[in-house]
Amino acid sequence: MRFESQVTFLAVRDLDRAADFYGRVMGLEMVLDQGSCRIYAIGGNAFVGVCLRPEAPADRATIITLVVNGDEAVDAAFGKATAAGATVVFGPRYNEQYRIYQCMVSDPDGHHVEIQHFHDPAWRHRH
């Protein structure tokens, strides 16, 4: 399986402050505004997303997201991860708010790993 790109999502308490930092201060281009999440291009196929999550505990504030091409690729990655013993956070599902098909597992150290396919046509970073 080949992943198309990578997004690291950061839970933030103040979305405007985070957006100002990554956009204005760091000079990153915002490539997708999902309302409560904003995604910025870092370079190549690497991105950082900031999501309003004032309730997120500090130890679960970061999510590694691997972007695939197609819902079936999400299902396949989920099957492979769970067959290898990954802990299920949630199984494959469509997320209407963000227009993505996604699943989430935890790695052996408890870090959340999301596998997703964008349905939003505004996500133009596809190969």
Side-chain angles (χ1 to χ4, degrees):
M1 174 181 333
R2 180 167 160 38
F3 295 103
E4 294 185 333
S5 57
Q6 189 274 325
V7 183
T8 299
F9 283 100
L10 306 173
V12 300
R13 297 186 193 284
D14 183 329
L15 185 60
D16 291 332
R17 183 179 67 188
D20 181 64
F21 176 79
Y22 286 99
R24 185 183 61 79
V25 176
M26 299 304 294
L28 300 178
E29 175 193 5
M30 183 172 53
V31 296
L32 187 61
D33 184 344
Q34 297 178 303
S36 61
C37 289
R38 297 178 189 158
I39 301 175
Y40 296 85
I42 293 175
N45 286 325
F47 304 88
V48 63
V50 293
C51 297
L52 182 61
R53 299 286 186 273
E55 74 292 345
D59 64 341
R60 292 290 178 249
T62 303
I63 299 170
I64 299 298
T65 299
L66 302 173
V67 179
V68 295
N69 186 15
D71 294 353
E72 63 286 344
V74 172
D75 294 336
F78 180 75
K80 185 175 182 179
T82 55
T87 301
V88 175
V89 177
F90 59 82
R93 66 183 186 196
Y94 184 73
N95 182 317
E96 184 67 39
Q97 179 180 0
Y98 296 118
R99 299 175 68 184
I100 58 175
Y101 187 72
Q102 66 182 145
C103 66
M104 189 176 295
V105 298
S106 290
D107 73 10
D109 291 304
H111 302 288
H112 287 177
V113 178
E114 175 187 39
I115 299 118
Q116 77 175 34
H117 167 69
F118 282 96
H119 283 248
D120 189 334
W123 180 255
R124 63 185 188 267
H125 299 278
R126 297 187 177 117
H127 281 88

